[in-house]
Amino acid sequence: MKKYLLLFITVLSISLHAQEHNASLEYTVPSDPLVRAKLSEWGKVKFGLLMHWGTYSQWGVVESWSLCPEDEGWTQRRGPYASDWFTYKTAYENLQTTFNPVKFNPERWAKAAKDAGMKYVVFTTKHHDGFNMFDTKQSDYKITSKKSPFSSNPRANVAKEVFNAFRNEGFMTGAYFSKPDWNTPDYWWKYFPPKDRNVSYDPKKYPDRWNAFKKFTYNQIEELMTDYGKMDILWLDGGWVRPFSSIDTSIEWQRTITHNQDIDMPNIAAMARTHQPGLLVVDRTVHGEYENYVTPEQQVPAGYLPYPWESCMTLGNSWSYVPNDQYKSSRKVIHLLTDIVSKNGNLLLNIGPGPDGEWDANAYARLEEIGKWMAINSDAIYNAEADPKLARQGKWVFTKKDKCIYAIYQLAENEVVPSNYSVSIPQGIMVKDVQLLGSAQKIKFAQDKNAIQFSIDVKKSPSTTEALVFKLNLK
Ligand code: GLC
């Protein structure tokens, strides 16, 4: 097991917003060769879909967090039950009895995501609220419970249907699973009402209860790893559920962790991998053997990172479905994707399905536009590599393959396609010819010691111009 202590990276401001996790400063290369092989497969596909879906979509509020008795911007309760936490919790949990997403059609999602160029999916099997979007045997707080109207639908085991639909389109699949569970009394024991996101009792004082919670978590993960087909990623959220010894006190939100909450990751990961050899385990923010890739959230690192990483970002403003959420433009997403790939990362883009089981029409529209760009330019994305020597230059970002560099010019909104370009390239790299993807035109270029210059016929621009990809074939 090699350990790199990365002292030099220029990542990520320490966020005061405890909801955002900071990227790890330390990365451990997995010891299992099957995990390394899958990591390299995953690192080639670059673009995935994340979906946050649960009963909260009926209220159109933030996922789970309105239950959390912390006074933060994103935990505020609203609506008729807001004034009393206990009443609110009951009403929130009663959402189970009205959740009936009859338009649920995961094949439609999978097709739209595939056409956009996405190649893996991560789905919330259970968020912090503890509501299970799969048919767990460990709890009745689940979509397949008799209490939930959707339970009589043949597709009631929603997580299974999602994974199957995406797998059928060739996707890698990942289970988002929240380690904290604000429904089970073995995490928020009713004897001690919760004061914050953490376990509501001291696990050291009540070891039987904590052990029951560990068993519960283990069993749920085992269900997901055995009954849901081939699984590639176990994406574990809720980084405060971690051993005390792993806390990094330089990170503000980790200083607020009240108790040692060790759920025995070595045991869970070993079990999971007996069922799913090579499984990527992403124990977010807990550095070491079980954080197989690093997950900066709603942000892109400043530069190249020399280990596997993924930015998870929302297409709208919220992870959950919020009516009339403002979705990012396809241009913005294309710029994020190209920037991220140029820095050695993947983009995991989130869409929150609505209470009826559909996406907002704007989500489909964005994916379609992204797909048009990908249809022309995906050579610069899939299987492409990043190179720290090819760092961002203004509007230019770079990826590369064996015998070529993709110089990607990110056009701003309202910018007309320029005719003349100049781009620096490291000394010693000799360009043989220049092509503009999606355009058949011949491009003349001149190269001097540090840069190449060329002009294009703008009338022969590609049909989508959010970013122009120039393929520099090398001598
Ligand atoms: C943030 C949110 C959490 C969400 C996660 C996804 O941490 O608080 O609800 O699941 O982002 O990355």
Side-chain angles (χ1 to χ4, degrees), residues 420-431:
N420 302 317
Y421 299 83
S422 173
V423 55
S424 310
I425 46 174
Q427 275 194 37
I429 291 178
M430 296 305 291
V431 175

Side-chain angles (χ1 to χ4, degrees), residues 143-179:
I143 187 144
T144 51
S145 158
K146 290 251 162 11
K147 290 182 198 156
S148 296
F150 201 60
S151 62
S152 59
N153 189 293
R155 312 198 78 177
N157 193 355
V158 159
K160 187 176 253 176
E161 300 289 335
V162 167
F163 293 135
N164 287 344
F166 280 80
R167 219 180 270 116
N168 287 340
E169 294 286 4
F171 280 58
M172 296 175 89
T173 52
Y176 169 113
F177 180 88
S178 168
K179 294 179 293 178

Side-chain angles (χ1 to χ4, degrees), residues 34 217 331 335 361 366 395-396 429:
L34 293 177
T217 305
R331 178 184 307 272
H335 290 189
R366 295 299 190 277
K395 292 178 176 172
W396 291 98
I429 291 178

